[in-house]
Amino acid sequence: MSLNNFENMPIQRLISFNKLLEYYDELAKSEDSFLADKAKRVLDAQAPHPELREGFTDLTLLDKHRAVIDIILEDTFSDVLGANEIKVASLPYDNTIFKASKRFQNILAEAGPDFEPKIRNQEEEVNYIMAAVVVLNFYYGFKLDFSRPYFYDIPDAKGVMHHYRILYNADFLELEATDKAKEMTQEDVDELLENYDKIELWQEKIPPGSFISKGFVISNMFDVTAEHSISEIKSALISNEKEKEEGSFMENMQETFRSFFRLKSITVGFVAYNDQQDQFECVHGGGIQSVILGDEEYVSCESALCPGSYQSLMENNEFFAVTDVNKYFELSGGIAPYKNLKEAGYQSAIFAPIADNGHLLGVLEIGSPNKNELNSVVATKLEDIMPFIITSVLRSKAEEANFIDAIIQNECTTVHSSVYWKFQEEARNFIKDSLYGEEQPSFNEIVFENINPLYGQIDIKDSSNARNVSIQRDLMIQLSDISRVLEKAFEMTKLPIYEELIFRVNNHLDDIKGTLHTNSEQAIFNFVMDEINPVFEHLKGEDKSLAAHIASYETNIDKKTHSYYDHRKNYDTSVMTINKKLAALIDKRQEEAQQMFPHYFERYKTDGIEHNMYIGDDITRERRFSPIYLNNLRLWQLQVMCEMENKHYRLKPELPVQLDVASLILVYNTSLSIRFRMDEKRFDVDGTYNARYEIIKKRIDKSFVKGTSERLTQTGKMVIVYSQKSDELEYLRYIRFLKSKGYFTGKVEIVELEGLQGVAGLKAIRAEILYKKDKQSERTYTYEDLMEELKS
């Protein structure tokens, strides 16, 4: 078997003991007879084997000359220190070992007969550039830092992984140039350093086979398992990737803790502490388990801990060790946490508080199936890693708080992306004022001026009437069922009080049969809760047949509303479904619209979907506004609202209550200012002059066609309200264009609105919408189509 010399590498390697033997050559001349005799003994042993000086690549010679090599290396590997030193003789950056100390041999023996030590992160072949850097340092004398740590990872007899740092002693290496070696200048080195990844350049400057390495290295090793484990724990805890690798994160952490404690069988868990609720809570993600919680999501601290563990963890912030679970389980009568530990199969455990300045953040749990394996002495080792765990938990809590804030902002008080830059700008100003000593820095108001507004709504037709009908039906059914139970009670007992209750129930029924009055629902609810329910509770204990009728009645009672909730549920479900589907459609289409030109957008759900849009120069920082973008957004809005109408048309047959919708767009051709209302967390028009726009928005959907009792909004028609002739012509042009795209039938009428309070002179276009039976029949068009139509 021959040494792999990597033919295309700059250094060819030979195993040689020449450098060490030269030391003995000098020692043989010593006046100290003992040292001289010893040196001559070594030299005499080597003399018959010149290849040990000249160098060789045949690895079989290592076994052939084993006895001689042992004599040569006798002083280097002292028997006196061999039981403690971890040392080997080998080639650098190679796993070929030809001499080892007793302790290293024992370490390998514990690892098992099939284990072969390999240098961690060592490439199969030595990197060409790495070898060339060695030449630049040790032959040419250029000082380049190429050092890096090397490790052996070797398990012990129990399977616990130990980590050994390798330190090379290269005193016995020689580097000789061949005829292929070239002269090297500082300019050459500078060029190489500027082109580290250009292997051809390195091969040109330091050709393959231009040097020969003769000798060996002494590798001194040190057990750095504890330090390595601490580093691994630190790296794992600060990594942002652990959430993405839920299956492997905790598995890797378990192995690291086992190496740290040198205990193969231990298991690590963690539980978070909620100081507001004074309870322990599970940590979601990462595969993290908790013996304190067991199968629960959360548990109160007092019920999870015994008095002793509560005092240690919660009050003193000190670790709590249980050396014999069975013993303390019996002594305590099986209370927590011994009950959970025993059920989990642990015989010893350590609970370590994770606390920052006296504030408990959580508890680290370490359990073992072996009695006494975990104890108060072992627990002291946690002092080395606890600072990293505390830092990680604090960081996680800060990230969780930021994430919660982000969710709240996204779900509740959204700052739209188009104007977010303005909020960031003011936030920076706020921070700057705080840093420079402002006593009461204020967050300046966010105002955008000369903005063009757009408004649209798709309203559920006659929603109030539909809601009242559903309430009315549920109340009538509930009262009828109540009446039947009372009639059976009266038949059985003949008590006049039940007859009087029946009379009052029937009065409520008669009251709501025609029209549901404003106070009827609350009056009936109070009547049932205060007078009917107590009577039914009494009747349950009087007769089994009555109890069965009452039980049948109660199965129809909704737990949240405490009343019949069938028709109302169907109505609420229908409204929520319409809102959800239509909101999802416009939200998705908004992403496309923002790419055309950034603008502010907000939508909210009522009995239908309303939306506001504002576009203008003041909102955008990077792009210049042009009126064509306003025209484009108007056309986009008209198209998308037709799509929302079609979405509802296809959805309607699936609804529990088949509600209709009506659409309306308000065209306002005067620019205005909007201001962010800090108290309401939303934008609103700014100033009394602009308030006219808000008045129109709130009143137009209830308006009538002038001179008639006909409502302006109608099912199946898109209503566009405006005041200027130019707006009328613009939207008629859009309608003709969208008719060609299959959105309108072509039937259009122009009507005047009955005068609203404080507003007059409004007109409206009502265009009949063309509906499609399926989504596949819809046609689409490009942004270029829109632009061409606007230019016509």
Side-chain angles (χ1 to χ4, degrees):
M1 185 173 64
S2 180
L3 180 66
N4 184 356
N5 255 325
F6 311 128
E7 297 301 327
N8 293 321
M9 294 293 288
I11 302 176
Q12 302 302 305
R13 300 179 301 166
L14 296 176
I15 299 174
S16 169
F17 300 95
N18 181 60
K19 199 78 179 288
L20 179 57
L21 290 169
E22 286 181 346
Y23 168 76
Y24 284 112
D25 288 337
E26 293 297 319
L27 202 60
K29 304 173 186 177
S30 173
E31 295 180 358
D32 187 325
S33 59
F34 176 80
L35 294 177
D37 290 343
K38 185 175 184 180
K40 289 175 183 178
R41 174 175 168 268
V42 172
L43 294 172
D44 289 343
Q46 178 272 322
H49 313 290
E51 63 269 25
L52 295 180
R53 274 189 186 267
E54 296 167 0
F56 58 90
T57 60
D58 185 359
L59 296 180
T60 60
L61 294 179
L62 291 172
D63 288 329
K64 181 180 178 181
H65 302 310
R66 173 68 56 198
V68 177
I69 292 173
D70 285 346
I71 293 172
I72 295 172
L73 297 176
E74 189 173 59
D75 288 341
T76 311
F77 287 82
S78 170
D79 286 339
V80 176
L81 301 175
N84 184 54
E85 286 186 333
I86 310 173
K87 181 191 294 186
V88 299
S90 66
L91 289 175
Y93 316 114
D94 193 276
N95 295 311
T96 303
I97 297 172
F98 44 84
K99 181 69 175 177
S101 66
K102 289 182 180 179
R103 184 176 176 189
F104 186 78
Q105 293 174 26
N106 293 336
I107 289 171
L108 289 187
E110 283 195 15
D114 298 327
F115 182 82
E116 294 184 9
K118 290 186 178 181
I119 299 174
R120 186 201 309 167
N121 298 330
Q122 177 66 46
E123 298 84 357
E124 287 297 320
E125 295 187 357
V126 178
N127 183 281
Y128 190 100
I129 295 175
M130 181 68 178
V133 170
V134 171
V135 170
L136 289 174
N137 273 272
F138 292 100
Y139 184 81
Y140 291 108
F142 296 100
K143 301 302 180 183
L144 305 178
D145 185 7
F146 67 100
S147 61
R148 55 178 293 196
Y150 292 97
F151 297 89
Y152 277 132
D153 300 321
I154 306 175
D156 64 14
K158 297 178 181 179
V160 176
M161 188 63 71
H162 289 245
H163 308 282
Y164 301 91
R165 173 79 180 268
I166 304 170
L167 296 180
Y168 287 119
N169 181 342
D171 289 347
F172 308 115
L173 274 178
E174 301 174 88
L175 194 62
E176 300 175 357
T178 69
D179 55 1
K180 295 180 181 180
K182 296 182 178 182
E183 293 293 327
M184 188 69 59
T185 66
Q186 183 64 52
E187 288 73 18
D188 292 325
V189 176
D190 292 344
E191 186 180 1
L192 289 172
L193 296 180
E194 291 174 1
N195 299 276
Y196 181 79
D197 56 343
K198 291 186 178 180
I199 186 69
E200 299 84 1
L201 180 63
W202 285 83
Q203 290 173 336
E204 177 192 340
K205 302 288 186 183
I206 307 175
S210 55
F211 289 87
I212 294 175
S213 167
K214 291 174 58 178
F216 67 97
V217 294
I218 299 294
S219 301
N220 292 283
M221 284 165 275
F222 303 89
D223 190 337
V224 293
T225 302
E227 294 84 349
H228 180 273
S229 298
I230 291 172
S231 177
E232 288 293 296
I233 291 170
K234 181 180 177 181
S235 298
L237 291 173
I238 66 175
S239 172
N240 288 323
E241 298 298 315
K242 64 175 181 282
E243 291 84 5
K244 300 177 184 177
E245 302 175 1
E246 292 191 1
S248 62
F249 168 68
M250 203 58 198
E251 182 180 336
N252 294 337
M253 186 65 78
Q254 299 279 11
E255 289 301 319
T256 303
F257 267 89
R258 286 164 186 163
S259 289
F260 178 70
F261 284 101
R262 305 191 181 194
L263 299 171
K264 181 62 178 177
S265 56
I266 65 171
T267 304
V268 180
F270 176 77
V271 64
Y273 173 63
N274 184 332
D275 57 353
Q276 295 180 344
Q277 302 293 329
D278 191 30
Q279 64 186 22
F280 293 124
E281 298 177 350
C282 70
V283 179
H284 297 286
I288 299 174
Q289 302 294 323
S290 167
V291 70
I292 288 178
L293 291 179
D295 296 328
E296 302 296 327
E297 285 279 322
Y298 56 87
V299 63
S300 69
C301 296
E302 287 191 355
S303 62
L305 302 172
C306 65
S309 58
Y310 187 93
Q311 182 178 11
S312 294
L313 297 172
M314 308 298 296
E315 297 176 4
N316 301 335
N317 291 160
E318 297 174 348
F319 67 79
F320 182 77
V322 182
T323 55
D324 187 343
V325 170
N326 285 336
K327 172 185 174 182
Y328 288 98
F329 179 83
E330 296 296 333
L331 290 174
S332 68
I335 65 173
Y338 312 111
K339 179 178 181 292
N340 289 26
L341 288 169
K342 186 176 177 65
E343 290 176 351
Y346 296 128
Q347 290 301 310
S348 59
I350 296 171
F351 295 117
I354 301 171
D356 179 51
N357 293 323
H359 176 63
L360 187 67
L361 306 171
V363 176
L364 177 69
E365 309 169 349
I366 308 172
S368 168
N370 304 314
K371 185 174 73 171
N372 292 326
E373 191 167 64
L374 293 174
N375 51 66
S376 58
V377 176
V378 172
T380 59
K381 296 185 69 173
L382 289 171
E383 295 177 3
D384 294 327
I385 61 173
M386 199 55 73
F388 306 124
I389 296 176
I390 292 171
T391 300
S392 176
V393 173
L394 287 172
R395 183 174 66 90
S396 296
K397 282 187 169 290
E399 289 175 353
E400 180 185 40
N402 291 338
F403 188 50
I404 290 171
D405 289 343
I407 292 173
I408 292 171
Q409 176 167 303
N410 183 61
E411 299 296 329
C412 308
T413 58
T414 303
V415 175
H416 193 261
S417 58
S418 62
V419 296
Y420 193 62
W421 65 270
K422 188 70 172 178
F423 286 83
Q424 288 179 311
E425 192 176 86
E426 292 302 332
R428 291 190 185 99
N429 291 334
F430 182 89
I431 293 171
K432 183 177 68 176
D433 291 343
S434 300
L435 293 175
Y436 283 95
E438 288 281 345
E439 291 186 4
Q440 292 183 326
S442 60
F443 195 95
N444 295 330
E445 290 188 317
I446 307 295
V447 180
F448 295 100
E449 298 179 346
N450 297 318
I451 302 302
N452 301 282
L454 297 92
Y455 171 77
Q457 69 172 46
I458 293 185
D459 189 43
I460 295 175
K461 289 287 288 181
D462 300 322
S463 58
S464 297
N465 182 57
R467 183 186 292 107
N468 286 341
V469 168
S470 67
I471 295 171
Q472 183 184 40
R473 289 175 177 173
D474 279 338
L475 290 177
M476 290 179 68
I477 294 170
Q478 183 175 3
L479 289 171
S480 297
D481 287 351
I482 291 171
S483 181
R484 279 192 287 272
V485 174
L486 292 173
E487 285 171 358
K488 291 185 180 295
F490 179 68
E491 289 174 5
M492 294 175 60
T493 65
K494 301 303 181 183
L495 294 178
I497 189 63
Y498 296 137
E499 188 176 21
E500 190 269 342
L501 280 172
I502 294 169
F503 171 76
R504 292 167 64 191
V505 168
N506 290 334
N507 278 344
H508 281 299
L509 267 170
D510 292 338
D511 183 55
I512 63 173
K513 275 182 181 177
T515 304
L516 183 69
H517 300 291
T518 306
N519 63 337
S520 296
E521 181 182 6
Q522 188 61 47
I524 293 172
F525 179 81
N526 293 339
F527 169 66
V528 172
M529 294 294 289
D530 298 340
E531 301 192 50
I532 297 299
N533 287 352
V535 171
F536 278 10
E537 285 299 317
H538 165 73
L539 290 174
K540 284 180 187 179
E542 290 293 304
D543 185 88
K544 289 185 178 180
S545 62
L546 282 176
H549 286 295
I550 294 171
S552 176
Y553 160 79
E554 289 177 341
T555 57
N556 295 316
I557 297 294
D558 180 73
K559 293 182 179 179
K560 292 183 178 179
T561 63
H562 302 290
S563 59
Y564 274 31
Y565 184 62
D566 184 22
H567 290 85
R568 276 179 289 179
K569 183 178 181 181
N570 288 337
Y571 170 80
D572 290 342
T573 300
S574 300
V575 171
M576 285 189 293
T577 303
I578 292 171
N579 286 347
K580 181 179 178 181
K581 297 293 185 180
L582 298 188
L585 190 153
I586 194 170
D587 286 349
K588 184 176 181 180
R589 294 299 309 275
Q590 249 294 300
E591 295 175 7
E592 304 167 9
Q594 291 293 338
Q595 297 302 315
M596 299 177 189
F597 192 83
H599 57 278
Y600 180 80
F601 170 80
E602 65 177 1
R603 62 113 181 107
Y604 38 96
K605 302 173 184 177
T606 53
D607 282 350
I609 299 294
E610 296 182 46
H611 66 269
N612 289 308
M613 294 186 289
Y614 300 102
I615 188 170
D617 233 353
D618 210 22
I619 287 180
T620 59
R621 286 192 302 175
E622 299 174 357
R623 297 179 63 178
R624 185 176 179 181
F625 176 73
S626 168
I628 197 169
Y629 293 116
L630 172 61
N631 298 335
N632 175 71
L633 194 58
R634 286 177 171 180
L635 179 54
W636 174 88
Q637 180 190 37
L638 185 59
Q639 174 195 341
V640 171
M641 289 192 66
C642 288
E643 293 174 3
M644 293 169 73
E645 279 269 0
N646 270 270
K647 182 77 172 179
H648 173 263
Y649 177 81
R650 292 189 295 271
L651 180 66
K652 183 179 175 180
E654 304 172 11
L655 299 174
V657 180
Q658 296 189 7
L659 301 168
D660 286 316
V661 298
S663 297
L664 180 146
I665 290 173
L666 172 61
V667 183
Y668 199 78
N669 68 351
T670 302
S671 62
L672 44 77
S673 299
I674 57 173
R675 181 184 300 270
F676 188 78
R677 309 293 181 188
M678 295 294 183
D679 53 344
E680 299 177 10
K681 304 300 181 188
R682 62 186 298 270
F683 276 100
D684 200 356
V685 295
D686 188 38
T688 54
Y689 174 78
N690 296 320
R692 182 174 183 270
Y693 173 70
E694 289 295 329
I695 293 172
I696 296 173
K697 275 170 50 179
K698 292 176 181 178
R699 296 177 181 174
I700 51 174
D701 65 325
K702 307 297 183 187
S703 60
F704 295 88
V705 176
K706 190 173 183 178
T708 72
S709 58
E710 179 186 346
R711 287 284 295 269
L712 174 64
T713 55
Q714 290 187 355
T715 303
K717 292 184 179 181
M718 183 67 64
V719 175
I720 304 158
V721 178
Y722 61 93
S723 61
Q724 302 294 323
K725 185 66 176 178
S726 59
D727 297 330
E728 177 185 303
L729 296 175
E730 180 182 349
Y731 274 87
L732 288 174
R733 191 168 78 244
Y734 296 158
I735 291 169
R736 287 195 302 270
F737 171 62
L738 292 178
K739 175 179 177 294
S740 71
K741 300 292 181 181
Y743 287 89
F744 292 105
T745 65
K747 294 183 180 179
V748 176
E749 59 178 326
I750 297 175
V751 299
E752 290 186 46
L753 274 65
E754 195 70 58
L756 304 175
Q757 183 180 357
V759 181
L762 294 178
K763 299 177 72 174
I765 300 171
R766 294 202 296 197
E768 187 177 54
I769 300 167
L770 183 62
Y771 294 97
K772 309 285 193 307
K773 289 186 178 180
D774 56 76
K775 196 171 183 179
Q776 285 70 28
S777 64
E778 291 185 359
R779 289 176 288 178
T780 60
Y781 55 92
T782 65
Y783 178 70
E784 287 73 22
D785 288 332
L786 304 181
M787 294 296 99
E788 289 298 322
E789 177 61 20
L790 288 169
K791 294 174 183 177
S792 63

